[in-house]
Amino acid sequence: MAWLFWLIGAVVLAVGEVFLLDLVLLMLAGGALGGLAVALVAGDAYALQVGAFALVSAGLLGLVRPVARRHLETRSSEQVDGPAAHVGRTGVVTQRVDHRDGRVSLGADVWSARTEYEGAVFEVGETVRVMAIDGPVAVVADTVG
């Protein structure tokens, strides 16, 4: 039954990581999974379980966390994320798009949309290109232009 303790501990630590976002609790959650694995294999060998927890946690904190932090914190000016990552993508019109409103499908997401130029209209099924993101609205134009 010790495995249940380790499982609950891993879940609590992982949930705590959501609030702290420092990657420490997540590494400790990985260590708890190491303790869980030993508990499942070795039974009631508590010293081995704690040793596995300490060893896996130390390894994750010393080797994985620095690499993960560097990856998350090091950004180049060319990296685009968030809504701006959709600029340049093509989508399919799912509801008629004019200069006031409409809808387009961008992969698995459906966005509110409007045309880039007054007077342009795109009908359902047409392919359009996202030219800009204006808040929650994709500004679209013809894929040729």
Side-chain angles (χ1 to χ4, degrees):
M1 214 45 164
W3 65 269
L4 186 59
F5 166 79
W6 291 110
L7 180 62
I8 292 169
V11 170
V12 168
L13 288 166
V15 168
E17 179 63 39
V18 171
F19 297 103
L20 295 181
L21 300 174
D22 197 31
L23 298 178
V24 172
L25 294 180
L26 189 62
M27 302 302 129
L28 295 177
L33 292 177
L36 180 141
V38 170
L40 289 173
V41 172
D44 291 335
Y46 298 116
L48 287 177
Q49 294 173 26
V50 172
F53 168 75
L55 186 65
V56 172
S57 294
L60 290 172
L61 285 168
L63 300 173
V64 176
R65 183 174 178 262
V67 173
R69 283 188 57 107
R70 189 170 36 254
H71 177 72
L72 291 173
E73 293 173 353
T74 305
R75 305 191 69 85
S76 70
S77 60
E78 291 96 31
Q79 287 177 302
V80 179
D81 58 359
H86 293 294
V87 174
R89 289 182 62 192
T90 58
V92 178
V93 175
T94 58
Q95 178 184 327
R96 184 177 186 266
V97 178
D98 57 27
H99 197 61
R100 291 184 311 122
D101 64 357
R103 296 230 181 246
V104 296
S105 174
L106 301 173
D109 300 324
V110 176
W111 280 68
S112 294
R114 66 177 172 80
T115 60
E116 185 175 29
Y117 302 108
E118 186 81 37
V121 175
F122 302 108
E123 298 298 333
V124 173
E126 288 188 65
T127 302
V128 292
R129 183 169 308 280
V130 178
M131 305 308 286
I133 299 293
D134 184 15
V137 178
V139 179
V140 299
D142 192 352
T143 58
V144 178

